[in-house]
Amino acid sequence: MPLILDSPPPSPPRSLPESFSEEALRRKELHAADVVVVGAGIFGTAIAITLARQSRSVILLEKSLKEPDRIVGELLQPGGVEALEKLGLRECLEEIDAIVVKGYDVIYYGQEVEIPYPKNAVEDGRRPEGRSFHHGRFIRRLREVAIKEPNITVVETTVTTTVASSWTGQVLGVESLTHGDKDFYFGTLTIIADGYASKFRKEYISQQPVSKSKFWGLELIDADLPKPGHGHVVLGDGAPVLLYQIGTRETRALIDVPEGLPSASTANGGIKGHLRNTVLPSLPKSVQSSFKIALDEGKLRSMPNSFLPPSRNRVPGMVLLGDAMNMRHPLTGGGMTVALNDVVLLRELLSLEIVPDLGNTKLVIKQMKTFHWRRKNLTSVINVLAQALYSLFAANDPQLRALQLGCFRYFQLGGSCVDGPVGLLAGIIRRPIVLFYHFFSVALLSIWLTFSEAPLWKLPMTLLESILIFYKACVVIFPFIGSELRS
């Protein structure tokens, strides 16, 4: 039999309501519930808790309940912290040695500009704050809350396939394996949230992830960061490097390595050779010693940097959500913010008042269409911003390098030139038009810098270069905007 984790009885002991006893027994013995959630990651665990607190009976399935050890999903933007509070899950940031994040520090060829989160963005007038932490510790805390929920049964089992009606095609639940034994779990609604490497994505949506680079991660000990309490973005001749604390003593270094990078070839010493010969000299002097020690210890790990535009859910009885449905480059740390805000929106759209019966598949599909479009005020901003910023920060041609310089100079202007972009990145400003405005302001500043630094006799070439810069800006952003407009 699969490992089933039921909630401990309340203390002091008391008799459970009859309806609870029946539902708990139904989940444990019949493996049936209102909702079956596949994947106990950030999204899966949060949606399971949220639906359970709306008096839904929930089975949460996860292939391994061990504390995960990943190198991304470690920075929660202020918009994600706010969503966590709305869901009543702020406690999950406690007792995990989480670090307060106040903003960013962008380092461009040794020049620094601080980008704090904007003032007056929260009700009491304070600057908002994010949190960074060990990913696995945050997951563990979420799962601890889920296990204590009386309406949730957590099961450690490996889901292998969905189960659907041969007559209607409606998904009825899932088939799984536990220690080689086949089992089944049935739900009125099945939520698939099995992450970036989803085994169900190809079956249910036409779009698939595109990955052109990997993040290689190191854990630095006692690193001396230029601005503690800030995420650091290091820009130079290569792709960007991220540095941020994940604990009192631990700092994460994420190095973006595009496919086919010559300096990372076998002839040049592979990834370690690239990190030692190209990346290490470009880092702030104060960080280099701890980076070298971590590199010498050899504890390198990698994750693909994927882009997957969002898709509408149209399958009766099942929805595909979280990273299984939508991903963006992790450069801006927006993934968890998107996931938790999606849960906040679904809490409203799938509430008992609006959808009393999750078996009403037409109504659920209608609500998922509403979800697809309403989430875009936030998610389209984070998705497009992540992809566009990565294109600029990993500049590999003259026009992109001009835009990269323009972006840095734009940040140096301060005021709204900082508050607007970082408000978008933080998940606080949820207006796509603001992103459009700031992106093309950067493009125009890049053109102005090109003109101001060129001698008069080069005017014809400068005009041509300016046209190419503006064209490149359009080529960068409009395909991502288009991907958000598709249904």
Side-chain angles (χ1 to χ4, degrees):
M1 289 292 291
L3 171 63
I4 299 179
L5 300 180
D6 272 322
S7 309
S11 182
R14 59 180 175 83
S15 59
L16 294 171
E18 184 179 350
S19 59
F20 169 76
S21 301
E22 290 175 356
E23 286 299 328
L25 187 63
R26 182 168 171 256
R27 292 195 301 271
K28 187 172 182 178
E29 300 297 333
L30 303 180
H31 294 181
D34 297 327
V35 183
V36 170
V37 179
V38 178
I42 302 291
F43 180 88
T45 309
I47 192 65
I49 295 167
T50 299
L51 294 175
R53 289 178 177 178
Q54 292 184 327
S55 300
R56 308 280 193 187
S57 177
V58 181
I59 296 175
L60 177 59
L61 308 178
E62 170 57 42
K63 65 181 178 182
S64 174
L65 291 172
K66 293 180 181 178
E67 183 173 305
D69 185 15
R70 292 180 62 190
I71 62 169
V72 293
E74 298 171 321
L75 196 154
L76 185 63
Q77 298 288 1
V81 174
E82 181 186 10
L84 205 63
E85 291 174 345
K86 289 179 179 178
L87 296 171
L89 294 172
R90 178 63 184 258
E91 65 186 280
C92 296
L93 292 176
E94 299 170 0
E95 301 176 10
I96 60 172
D97 194 23
I99 303 298
V100 173
V101 180
K102 301 175 183 178
Y104 282 82
D105 185 43
V106 179
I107 304 171
Y108 177 78
Y109 289 94
Q111 298 181 65
E112 287 186 55
V113 61
E114 183 182 358
I115 306 177
Y117 292 130
K119 290 181 180 178
N120 302 318
V122 292
E123 291 182 359
D124 60 6
R126 294 179 297 107
R127 288 188 186 273
E129 295 176 343
R131 292 291 187 275
S132 56
F133 39 72
H134 288 267
H135 174 84
R137 295 177 186 175
F138 183 51
I139 292 286
R140 169 173 52 79
R141 292 287 284 133
L142 283 169
R143 290 175 179 173
E144 286 171 356
V145 173
I147 290 170
K148 292 177 182 177
E149 284 293 324
N151 284 336
I152 299 179
T153 296
V154 182
V155 184
E156 189 174 64
T157 186
T158 301
V159 176
T160 55
T161 186
T162 54
V163 177
S165 166
S166 58
W167 292 93
T168 64
Q170 178 177 337
V171 173
L172 307 175
V174 296
E175 179 181 327
S176 71
L177 286 175
T178 306
H179 305 304
D181 295 330
K182 185 182 293 188
D183 214 334
F184 296 88
Y185 294 87
F186 298 100
T188 309
L189 177 66
T190 300
I191 297 176
I192 304 291
D194 59 337
Y196 78 96
S198 173
K199 67 174 69 174
F200 299 97
R201 185 186 294 125
K202 286 185 178 180
E203 185 177 355
Y204 291 108
I205 63 175
S206 58
Q207 299 185 97
Q208 298 303 312
V210 175
S211 178
K212 296 182 179 180
S213 70
K214 288 183 178 180
F215 260 150
W216 287 83
L218 287 170
E219 187 174 305
L220 318 185
I221 302 299
D222 297 328
D224 184 12
L225 292 174
K227 287 195 181 299
H230 290 69
H232 294 70
V233 183
V234 182
L235 304 175
D237 291 327
V241 177
L242 303 184
L243 301 166
Y244 54 91
Q245 281 182 268
I246 55 174
T248 303
R249 298 189 62 201
E250 304 87 19
T251 292
R252 174 69 68 211
L254 291 178
I255 304 94
D256 186 83
V257 180
E259 291 179 350
L261 190 67
S263 59
S265 66
T266 304
N268 287 315
I271 292 297
K272 280 195 173 183
H274 170 70
L275 299 185
R276 192 178 304 278
N277 302 324
T278 303
V279 175
L280 179 59
S282 72
L283 297 177
K285 297 292 185 184
S286 61
V287 177
Q288 290 184 9
S289 60
S290 56
F291 186 93
K292 186 176 184 300
I293 291 171
L295 184 59
D296 290 342
E297 289 178 353
K299 296 179 181 179
L300 268 171
R301 290 178 295 158
S302 68
M303 285 283 290
N305 296 324
S306 302
F307 173 59
L308 175 66
S311 297
R312 270 185 57 192
N313 282 279
R314 295 182 169 92
V315 179
M318 188 215 75
V319 292
L320 190 75
L321 295 165
D323 281 354
M325 183 271 288
N326 181 207
M327 291 186 285
R328 77 292 306 152
H329 197 286
L331 173 70
T332 57
M336 290 189 292
T337 298
V338 168
L340 293 170
N341 278 277
D342 279 352
V343 175
V344 171
L345 180 54
L346 287 167
R347 179 179 62 175
E348 172 195 340
L349 297 177
L350 297 181
S351 66
L352 280 168
E353 294 77 16
I354 297 175
V355 187
D357 178 13
L358 292 172
N360 185 342
T361 57
K362 288 185 179 179
L363 179 56
V364 171
I365 290 173
K366 177 185 175 184
Q367 292 301 95
M368 294 311 299
K369 179 181 178 180
T370 302
F371 168 77
H372 177 79
W373 294 110
R374 277 187 55 183
R375 72 192 291 267
K376 288 189 179 296
N377 280 341
L378 172 68
T379 58
S380 66
V381 166
I382 292 180
N383 290 342
V384 174
L385 180 64
Q387 298 305 124
L389 268 185
Y390 176 69
S391 297
L392 270 56
F393 287 177
N396 58 6
D397 65 37
Q399 291 76 43
L400 285 174
R401 281 192 283 272
L403 288 165
Q404 183 189 76
L405 173 61
C407 186
F408 184 74
R409 295 287 182 249
Y410 193 73
F411 292 153
Q412 286 183 315
L413 295 175
S416 63
C417 298
V418 165
D419 289 347
V422 78
L424 294 164
L425 184 147
I428 298 167
I429 298 176
R430 305 182 178 198
R431 296 167 58 199
I433 191 65
V434 176
L435 170 60
F436 190 85
Y437 167 81
H438 285 288
F439 183 82
F440 279 99
S441 294
V442 167
L444 293 175
L445 178 59
S446 303
I447 292 170
W448 167 251
L449 291 171
T450 301
F451 269 105
S452 64
E453 295 172 2
L456 189 60
W457 63 270
K458 281 190 174 181
L459 182 60
M461 291 298 296
T462 305
L463 282 170
L464 176 60
E465 181 65 16
S466 298
I467 292 169
L468 292 174
I469 290 171
F470 190 80
Y471 173 75
K472 178 64 72 171
C474 295
V475 167
V476 165
I477 198 167
F478 281 120
F480 298 124
I481 292 174
S483 70
E484 290 292 324
L485 295 176
R486 300 188 198 105
S487 61

